[in-house]
Structures are given as C-alpha cells and as structure tokens.
Amino acid sequence: MKNSKQTYKTRKFIILALLVIVGRLYDATTTYLYTPDLTNETNVLVKLFGAGWTSFAIIQTTLIVIIIYLLYFYIFKFKPVTPPEKNLNIKQFASYLFFNDTISFHKMFYKTTKNKTTLFASIGYIVSMTLISISFVVGTSTTFLIISDNYRKIYKQGIPYVLYGLIVGLIVYFTIKFFKIEYSKYKQPDNELDG
C-alpha cells in the first residue's frame, strides 16, 4: 500500500511539473511569435521594468524552479500539524493549519502565518495549479492574437483585464481546493491520494 501511494505521488508530481514547464514554454513561444520585441507584451515585468527576453527568461526559469520545488515539497514532504480535535469545521481547520489555533481564520487575510511549512505547501499547490491553468489560457489567447484579426480587435477592448481577473479567480479557487483537500485528509486520515 505504501509503495502504491509513493508511485501515485511520483506520477502526480511528474505530470504537474511537466505541465508547469510545458505551459510556460507554450506561453513564451506564442508571445515570441506574436511580439518578438515584446512591444505588445502585457506582462507586468515587461511593462513596469522594461524587461527584455534575457531578463524575462531568467525570471521565468527562476520562477519555474521555485514553483516546482514547492510543489515537490507539498506532494512529498508536507505533513500538516493535525489538530487534536476531530470535529472542527473547515474554517477552524484552516485556522489551525496556519496559526496553530482554531480562532484565527480571519488573520489569513492580513497576517503572515505562524506555520511556515503550511505556507510553503499551500504556495506549492496553489501557485503551480494556477500557473498551469493560466499559462495555457494566455498561450491560447496569444495564439488567437497571431491568427485572428477579429480577436485582436476584441482583445484591445479589455481582454488583458479579463485575464488578470481570471488569475485572481483561479488563486481563490485553488486556495479553497487546497483547504478542502487537506480537510478531507484530516477527516479521513488514511485517504492520502486525494488532490
């Protein structure tokens, strides 16, 4: 049984890590095909700091390495501190995960967590899943920019803001999903294949 859990975790990690890499490559390739000099790029790093392809590639590579490491940490190393009580609701459980008590859920919105391993694990899951999703959405949007005059016209009407809104929505969605996955493990300790 332990061996099958390890095999499952290994497969899961490899698939998700590959999706992070392929998604970022897809996004970068379509961006290069659409705007080789980055003049039409809407990425914040390019717009605010005037990053060129070299610095853009260095930042993206560093980001990918960090995210994949945190994903590895989440899948293989993360062992949440389990509350002694067995009847907590999901908010109390989330509070315990981050602050080691059941009454600090609201602090998640403005305070740094006391439990750094939970913070790193949650970033590993939430950011990797968000990055996978948004990379393919943005890459596909850029592909349509390359091949469709009509889409280029629509894009200028505010599609970048829709994409930024989608990023925020995905972060919220995967944050909730992270808590649900960990909560189901808490409610059924033998169930480690979820997520």
Side-chain angles (χ1 to χ4, degrees), residues 2-160:
K2 188 176 181 182
N3 200 21
S4 66
K5 284 181 183 178
Q6 191 64 25
T7 302
Y8 172 82
K9 287 182 176 184
T10 302
R11 283 185 189 154
K12 178 179 174 180
F13 172 72
I14 290 169
I15 290 167
L16 291 176
L18 284 173
L19 285 171
V20 169
I21 294 165
V22 170
R24 296 315 302 145
L25 287 173
Y26 174 50
D27 184 13
T29 302
T30 56
T31 299
Y32 180 77
L33 292 172
Y34 176 62
T35 178
D37 59 0
L38 293 173
T39 53
N40 295 319
E41 175 59 23
T42 57
N43 186 298
V44 175
L45 296 171
V46 174
K47 287 288 184 194
L48 291 180
F49 304 111
W53 276 108
T54 303
S55 49
F56 187 73
I58 291 167
I59 292 165
Q60 288 293 321
T61 303
T62 305
L63 175 70
I64 289 168
V65 169
I66 292 169
I67 295 307
I68 288 174
Y69 171 75
L70 291 174
L71 179 64
Y72 173 86
F73 176 80
Y74 170 64
I75 291 173
F76 292 105
K77 303 292 183 188
F78 179 55
K79 301 281 186 237
V81 179
T82 307
E85 304 94 336
K86 288 296 174 194
N87 58 346
L88 299 181
N89 65 38
I90 195 163
K91 280 187 177 179
Q92 292 170 319
F93 174 75
S95 175
Y96 197 91
L97 271 185
F98 276 87
F99 295 101
N100 298 328
D101 66 49
T102 59
I103 57 168
S104 300
F105 179 80
H106 63 283
K107 291 182 184 175
M108 280 192 260
F109 301 102
Y110 62 88
K111 261 192 138 172
T112 306
T113 177
K114 287 182 181 177
N115 193 335
K116 302 301 184 221
T117 59
T118 300
L119 177 65
F120 294 144
S122 63
I123 291 171
Y125 176 79
I126 296 162
V127 176
S128 64
M129 299 304 284
T130 302
L131 201 57
I132 289 166
S133 304
I134 205 65
S135 294
F136 286 101
V137 170
V138 171
T140 302
S141 173
T142 308
T143 300
F144 281 117
L145 284 170
I146 295 166
I147 63 175
S148 171
D149 290 332
N150 289 334
Y151 185 74
R152 279 196 291 277
K153 289 174 190 168
I154 295 168
Y155 186 86
K156 290 177 182 175
Q157 303 303 314
I159 296 289

